[in-house]
């Protein structure tokens, strides 16, 4: 057992980490069934539904599986990790700084193309992820057939088809989460190629600078790429030092 999460940062983000072996995040576009998956894994009854079921902020729950204690965090629905809204920031900060042991991306099987945008963004940050291909019953009804095996090969992470409302596929999802958390399944995530010769030196230079300013910041490469893209929120956070706050407070305290 070798947890990959950043306990210090998770505590800073407000997560109670006592009695936890592994931490799981549930991310995904709005209305893909994240809270329904959360409920079926934890036995809790988070409110679900189109409206007013929308999840705001985070919700935590827990479950045990084969002797391990899991904490699972239901994140607000978001189309992107390139934050423009408070909800998107909550999801991004949790994945970026908390570094969950497994990030489960809940996707709508009837809108797979649109959902892959967030999936690829999550795979830029972490290499421990599972794609939960939810609403597979709806896809079937519309004669949409997603080749989940092929998709898994391309993405380099496990893909589990589910119909969470009917609890279909949930045991398989649980088993897969467990295998990724414990390292039994090793992911090899698809990464959009950013190693172009023309930008590589710039990325490296920026990354080194960020590392020297904020030595404990994880995912400095991701931050460097956002700076080069001109992501204003990240630029502001680096300029003001806010991006390192989470960590520097810990060092000072
Ligand atoms: N047919 C079908 N409906 C589902 C499935 N999973 C969830 N739903 C329904 O889809 C709606 C949205 O589900 P939620 O679990 O609230 O979705 P969410 O992703 O948490 O939504 P946000 O928090 O707003 O992002 C609810 O009416 C669920 O009952 C599924 O597998 N099949
Ligand atoms: Mg929800």
């Amino acid at each position: 057992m070798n947890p990959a999460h950043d306990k210090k940062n998770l505590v800073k983000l407000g997560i109670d980490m006592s009695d936890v072996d592994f931490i799981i995040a549930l991310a995904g576009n709005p209305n893909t069934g994240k809270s329904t998956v959360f409920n079926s894994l934890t036995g809790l009854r988070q409110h679900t539904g189109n409206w007013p079921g929308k999840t705001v902020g985070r919700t935590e729950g827990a479950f045990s599986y084969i002797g391990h204690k899991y904490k699972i965090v239901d994140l607000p629905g978001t189309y992107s990790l390139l934050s423009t809204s408070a909800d998107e920031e909550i999801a991004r900060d949790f994945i970026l700084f908390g570094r969950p042991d497994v990030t489960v991306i809940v996707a709508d099987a009837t809108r797979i193309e649109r959902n892959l945008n967030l999936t690829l963004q999550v795979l830029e940050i972490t290499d421990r992820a599972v794609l939960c291909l939810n609403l597979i019953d709806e896809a079937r009804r519309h004669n949409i057939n997603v080749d989940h095996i092929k998709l898994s090969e391309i993405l380099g992470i496990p893909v589990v088809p589910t119909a969470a409302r009917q609890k279909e596929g949930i045991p398989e999802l649980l088993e897969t989460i467990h295998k990724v958390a414990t390292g039994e399944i090793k992911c090899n995530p698809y990464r959009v190629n950013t190693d172009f010769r023309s930008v590589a030196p710039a990325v490296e230079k920026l990354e080194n600078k960020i590392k020297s300013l904020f030595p404990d910041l994880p995912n400095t490469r991701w931050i460097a790429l956002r700076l080069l893209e001109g992501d204003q929120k990240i630029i502001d956070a680096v300029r003001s030092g806010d991006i390192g706050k989470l960590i520097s407070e810990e060092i000072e305290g």
Side-chain angles (χ1 to χ4, degrees), residues 35 52 77 96 221:
S35 298
L96 192 60
R221 182 182 162 76

Side-chain angles (χ1 to χ4, degrees), residues 28-37 47-50 53-55 74-78 134-138 162-166:
N29 287 9
N31 220 31
T32 55
K34 292 176 296 302
S35 298
T36 309
V37 169
H47 193 81
T48 56
N50 287 335
K54 187 179 176 309
T55 305
D74 186 14
L75 296 169
T78 146
N134 195 35
L135 292 134
I136 203 77
D137 55 321
E138 283 293 314
T162 61
R165 198 158 66 178
Q166 295 86 323

Side-chain angles (χ1 to χ4, degrees), residues 2 23 46 61 66 73 93 118 141 150 155 166 179-180 192 201 209 211 221 226 228 250:
N2 185 20
I23 182 122
Q46 266 299 300
I66 322 188
V73 180
D93 287 353
L118 180 75
R141 216 162 57 83
K150 186 78 190 274
L155 292 175
Q166 295 86 323
K179 285 185 173 166
V180 174
V192 180
K209 219 165 200 166
K211 269 187 194 148
R221 182 182 162 76
R226 296 293 85 73
L228 285 173
E250 174 73 24

Side-chain angles (χ1 to χ4, degrees), residues 1 21-22 41 63-70 171-182 184:
M1 194 176 86
D21 295 325
F22 295 115
L41 289 174
F63 63 88
S64 291
Y65 186 72
I66 322 188
H68 294 312
K69 295 195 179 84
Y70 287 85
E172 290 81 0
L173 180 65
L174 195 52
E175 193 189 341
T176 308
I177 290 172
H178 171 78
K179 285 185 173 166
V180 174
T182 54
E184 196 176 321

Side-chain angles (χ1 to χ4, degrees), residues 12-26:
K12 284 224 154 284
L13 286 161
I15 306 289
D16 178 3
M17 288 298 291
S18 45
D19 215 18
V20 175
D21 295 325
F22 295 115
I23 182 122
I24 312 299
L26 279 179

